[in-house]
Amino acid sequence: FLEKGVNVLVEKPIARTLEEADKMIETAKKSGAKLMVGHLERFNPAMVALRPHVNNPLYFEIHRVSPFPNRSLDVDVVLDVMIHDLDAIQWLVESEVAEIHAVGIPVISDKVDAANARIEFENGAVANITASRIGTEKIRKTRFYQTNSYVVLDYATKFASLTSLNPEAAHPLLGISINRLEINDVEPLKAEIGAFIDSIIEDKTPPVTAEDGRKALKLALGVLDKIETHRSRLNV
């Protein structure tokens, strides 16, 4: 499609390897076709409402858990679901990754079913991400701290809030305010496809570029590499 100049919205991850991603990106540039990657959580109404309020996030605690049994057991949990959060943190932090620590184990398949990654950025921000497909409940929650506020984002319930202190309050406890953000409850997939079509009609850069997709894939593969190193120590 890209070789023929056909605009493409591709599901995440953008490709299996960075080499494949680079070939797609180069082909799109040569033909002039739009290439957008389907990182759907960027279009979740809670994230859409929250994004303008993000200001220098410093520390993330992220949990993405699915009940057992689950789909897609032929692919590991990092490329299947954690990649959503790997994309989101890079989009929010806007700094290069400095270091990766990760552990992961197979439980119900021969792939990684549960994983934890600690991502450290060059600007000092840190993200601790847990992804699992062997939980007892569905969890899609992100919590993070930024200058003067604590943020809660729940993709599943489409909820976002900011808790902050008023520095002018007479007492710190009196200055606490919780701001639950108003959302425009649009189906994320509909919003994603609409944004892709708009980028074509208006001839503008898609909101999730191929380069964004490559960054998420590169980080995911880095997490898997660290997991494999740790698994060799465990002899799992």
Side-chain angles (χ1 to χ4, degrees), residues 120-137:
E120 300 178 14
F121 292 89
E122 290 182 355
N123 68 354
V126 174
N128 189 44
I129 308 172
T130 297
S132 169
R133 55 188 176 200
I134 51 172
T136 57
E137 59 182 319

Side-chain angles (χ1 to χ4, degrees), residues 83-105:
I83 196 167
H84 283 297
D85 301 304
L86 297 177
D87 169 65
I89 59 171
Q90 293 186 97
W91 186 44
L92 298 177
V93 173
E94 298 181 330
S95 176
E96 294 300 314
V97 172
E99 195 166 357
I100 304 170
H101 303 272
V103 296
I105 56 172

Side-chain angles (χ1 to χ4, degrees), residues 7-10 34-44 48 91 186-209:
N7 303 299
V8 173
L9 169 58
V10 62
K34 304 290 184 186
L35 176 55
M36 176 170 155
V37 185
H39 283 285
L40 188 63
E41 295 290 37
R42 291 203 192 189
F43 299 91
N44 187 290
V48 173
W91 186 44
V186 176
E187 166 58 39
L189 186 58
K190 180 179 180 180
E192 178 184 70
I193 294 172
F196 175 58
I197 293 172
D198 287 344
S199 72
I200 297 168
I201 293 173
E202 300 173 15
D203 192 22
K204 62 184 181 181
T205 302
V208 187
T209 66

